[in-house]
Amino acid sequence: DDDDDEDEDEDEDEDQDQDQDSNDEDEEEYFADQQDRASGGLSSGGGGGGGSVSIDELFSACREKRHVALKRLIKSWDSQPGPRASAVVDNEGNSLLHVAAAANWIQGIHTALQAGVPVNARNLEASTALHLAHAAGHATAETLLVALGADRSLANVYGVRCDGST
């Protein structure tokens, strides 16, 4: 029985590896398509850093949890003059870190922080990524953010804190 369990575990690991490889290939293909579109003058540039990458592309890659694409888009954005990807926000003031935390996407949280997004960056409601993870009930993202220095005592405009106090 133990041998059967080990075989099943190995099969599951192989399936997960194949799924990840497939996702990476999809991301590679998507990124190549986006680069082709951008070179054809179809990207908006986002008003600053991304001459060939739009803000929408950055945030879409993050929302859709496309890790390889997100890393390449950040690199491309940051290679252009203007603000770095770490300073880019959506129309609600959310950074890439906010979006990743709201989705409980651990890889995205690490990528956003590696890109330089401050762990306590605030959106237009003064909410941090920790606030969004907390509101969504994403304990994994919350724990990671706190371990990486997120401040539980910061209040947003509604007075909400993530430390239980008001």
Side-chain angles (χ1 to χ4, degrees), residues 45-73:
S52 64
V53 177
S54 72
I55 291 173
D56 289 341
E57 288 173 301
L58 279 170
F59 281 92
S60 289
C62 193
R63 275 193 289 296
E64 296 166 9
K65 299 181 180 182
R66 291 182 287 111
H67 189 242
V68 172
L70 179 61
K71 287 175 67 173
R72 287 195 175 149
L73 289 164

Side-chain angles (χ1 to χ4, degrees), residues 61-121:
C62 193
R63 275 193 289 296
E64 296 166 9
K65 299 181 180 182
R66 291 182 287 111
H67 189 242
V68 172
L70 179 61
K71 287 175 67 173
R72 287 195 175 149
L73 289 164
I74 288 170
K75 184 177 180 180
S76 179
W77 181 280
D78 285 347
S79 71
Q80 302 297 315
R84 309 220 8 111
S86 59
V88 175
V89 295
D90 66 13
N91 60 352
E92 296 173 1
N94 292 315
S95 67
L96 294 171
L97 180 60
H98 285 89
V99 173
N104 202 34
W105 186 32
I106 303 308
Q107 249 184 334
I109 291 170
H110 284 292
T111 299
L113 291 170
Q114 288 169 353
V117 179
V119 72
N120 290 311

Side-chain angles (χ1 to χ4, degrees), residues 12-26:
E12 287 178 22
D13 290 343
E14 287 176 20
D15 289 345
Q16 289 174 349
D17 289 344
Q18 289 172 351
D19 289 345
Q20 184 60 44
D21 290 344
S22 175
N23 287 343
D24 288 346
E25 289 170 11
D26 291 344

Side-chain angles (χ1 to χ4, degrees), residues 100-106 109 129-130 133-134 138-146:
N104 202 34
W105 186 32
I106 303 308
I109 291 170
L130 182 61
H134 180 77
H138 296 317
T140 305
E142 270 190 86
T143 301
L144 176 62
L145 289 165
V146 170

